[in-house]
Amino acid sequence: MPQILIFGDSIIYGAWDREGGWAARLRKFLDEKTLTEEDFYCLVYNLGISGDTTEDLLERFEFETEQRIKEKKDTAVIFAIGGNDATFNNKDDQCQISQKEFKENIEKLIKLAEKYASKTVFIGLLPADESKTTPIPWAPNKSYKNEQIFQYDKIIKSVCRGNNISFIDVFNQFVNLDYKNLLEDGQHPNSLGHHKIFEIIKKFLVENKII
């Protein structure tokens, strides 16, 4: 797979990780493979923007993809988006992006990705440590709650299933771990958390022959 485009928010950007996040770790892994294996070549683009929702991503996806795309058959798109959509506004008593709009946005992202990529993968959402995110310290009018996160994660999974798109379940894998120790501020992973996500994603991509 000569190129992988990874779209998402601050977690993709690599917030709170000295090594730049799981996407940077994936690039490092594939750069090493490119340098040491004669018949392997792959470019990885980190296209994460802090605070992005699915609505924000829809506005920039085609432009940013067209600047980097070479051939559809050699391109994979990975989406890791939705955490900001699920953020609960305590004042308005609703999430930042409604579930109905969120589902529609995921459908649109899939259709757009299919124009440019031969492989599309969605990464599930992370659970939160609610003791640190209700409310969110840097946005006291908002909260990040597992009840909402779980519902939005289910929507991603359902839409992917309905469109025959790969989905990597991170939420349940983290819940089965001591996940609060994998989070820096209750929402973003720490370095250990980013490493765990990288291992989960690398395993899936290798087993499904995407890399």
Side-chain angles (χ1 to χ4, degrees), residues 28-206:
K28 183 178 179 181
F29 169 76
L30 292 174
D31 283 351
E32 181 68 22
K33 195 171 182 181
T34 295
L35 291 169
T36 57
E37 296 185 16
E38 187 174 335
D39 60 347
F40 183 85
Y41 177 74
C42 185
L43 295 173
V44 177
Y45 295 97
N46 182 330
L47 298 165
I49 295 181
S50 180
D52 259 15
T53 65
T54 52
E55 189 175 87
D56 299 315
L57 182 49
L58 280 168
E59 291 180 359
R60 66 184 176 91
F61 174 80
E62 285 199 275
F63 176 79
E64 294 193 4
T65 299
E66 287 171 357
Q67 310 314 304
R68 296 166 176 84
I69 198 86
K70 295 189 183 301
E71 292 189 32
K72 174 177 178 178
K73 65 182 177 67
D74 292 331
T75 299
V77 168
I78 298 176
F79 292 112
I81 193 79
N84 292 312
D85 299 67
T87 302
F88 190 77
N89 189 310
N90 302 318
K91 183 178 179 181
D92 297 336
D93 197 34
Q94 62 184 12
C95 290
Q96 187 162 338
I97 302 292
S98 71
Q99 291 189 25
K100 180 178 182 295
E101 185 179 356
F102 182 68
K103 182 177 184 295
E104 292 171 352
N105 289 348
I106 297 297
E107 294 271 11
K108 290 175 184 177
L109 286 171
I110 288 173
K111 287 181 171 57
L112 287 175
E114 288 176 340
K115 289 174 56 178
Y116 299 99
S118 59
K119 299 284 186 181
T120 302
V121 178
F122 271 82
I123 312 300
L125 305 181
L126 292 176
D129 179 352
E130 294 184 0
S131 69
K132 297 180 179 179
T133 62
T134 53
I136 299 172
W138 57 92
N141 290 326
K142 298 179 180 180
S143 296
Y144 201 56
K145 302 178 180 180
N146 286 320
E147 179 182 358
Q148 278 81 34
I149 298 167
F150 182 66
Q151 291 302 319
Y152 281 66
D153 190 65
K154 280 176 60 178
I155 291 171
I156 301 171
K157 185 175 182 178
S158 175
V159 174
C160 286
R161 185 186 298 115
N163 287 274
N164 197 29
I165 298 294
S166 296
F167 173 81
I168 303 178
D169 184 346
V170 177
F171 188 97
N172 286 305
Q173 293 196 60
F174 260 54
V175 167
N176 291 330
L177 300 169
D178 188 10
Y179 76 89
K180 292 181 180 180
N181 287 327
L182 300 175
L183 302 174
E184 180 67 29
D185 56 7
Q187 181 176 4
H188 298 88
N190 55 26
S191 291
L192 185 59
H194 274 288
H195 180 73
K196 182 62 180 177
I197 297 169
F198 160 66
E199 291 290 346
I200 291 170
I201 293 170
K202 180 185 73 171
K203 182 175 184 289
F204 179 92
L205 297 178
V206 169

